[in-house]
Amino acid sequence: MTEPTTAIKETAVPTEIQRFTFGKWVFNINKAEEIIAAEPRVTIPTEVPSWAAVYQLDRLRPDYAGASWCPIFGPDQRHFNYEHAMSTDLAKPVIIALVKFGDDVNQLLIDGTHRMFHAHTKGLDTLPAYFLSVEETEEIQQG
C-alpha cells in the first residue's frame, strides 16, 4: 500500500507596494522599476549635495530627540531610519521623476532618499540615477 502524497503548492509572496508621496500625489515606485526594467536606460550622475540641501538631509540624525518636523521635500524625522540608510547599496541608482508643474518640468527624487543620505554622510559628490520622462511619471502617478 502506498502512502498518499500531498502536492505542495507554491504561491507567490505578494510584493509590498513602495510609494513616494508628494503633497496630493502618490508615485508607485514598483511600477517605476517595472518601466525601467522593460525599457533599460543609462544612468546619469546626479549631484548629492544639491539633493541633500533640498531634502534637508543634514537635519536627519540618529540621535535626534526633539520635536518632529517635516520638510517640504524629503522624509520627516519620524519616518527616517538611520540604520537602514547606512546599509543601503550606493551602487543602486536612485529614481528621479520629471514632473510637470504648469508649463514647467522639474525633477523630483522619488526613490533613493536613504541612499542619498548615506552618500551625503560619506561625502560623495554623485550617485547614479534613472530618470523617468514626464509621460512615464504620469503613468506611475496617482492623485
Side-chain angles (χ1 to χ4, degrees):
M1 181 168 149
T2 58
E3 294 291 319
T5 59
T6 305
I8 298 173
K9 182 179 178 184
E10 290 189 38
T11 56
V13 178
T15 303
E16 182 179 328
I17 296 175
Q18 186 180 354
R19 295 180 175 91
F20 174 79
T21 303
F22 178 73
K24 67 177 183 170
W25 294 333
V26 177
F27 299 89
N28 184 325
I29 304 308
N30 299 66
K31 196 179 273 189
E33 290 173 339
E34 289 171 10
I35 289 170
I36 292 165
E39 298 178 34
R41 58 204 71 200
V42 297
T43 60
I44 299 170
T46 192
E47 294 182 14
V48 171
S50 298
W51 285 108
V54 170
Y55 278 50
Q56 301 179 24
L57 298 180
D58 58 326
R59 294 187 66 190
L60 297 171
R61 300 187 315 269
D63 59 344
Y64 182 81
S68 292
W69 56 272
C70 183
I72 293 173
F73 295 103
D76 65 32
Q77 187 71 38
R78 294 170 302 162
H79 296 102
F80 183 76
N81 184 313
Y82 179 84
E83 290 79 21
H84 169 68
M86 298 312 288
S87 70
T88 56
D89 179 3
L90 298 178
K92 180 181 178 187
V94 299
I95 301 175
I96 297 173
L98 297 181
V99 181
K100 196 163 187 176
F101 291 97
D103 293 333
D104 297 325
V105 175
N106 294 284
Q107 297 178 7
L108 183 63
L109 175 68
I110 62 168
D111 181 56
T113 306
H114 284 90
R115 279 171 272 154
M116 197 62 74
F117 175 84
H118 186 182
H120 176 65
T121 301
K122 288 192 166 204
L124 300 180
D125 291 326
T126 63
L127 276 181
Y130 289 125
F131 283 76
L132 297 178
S133 68
V134 170
E135 296 76 23
E136 291 169 331
T137 298
E138 289 171 351
E139 232 181 284
I140 67 161
Q141 181 180 335
Q142 303 159 354

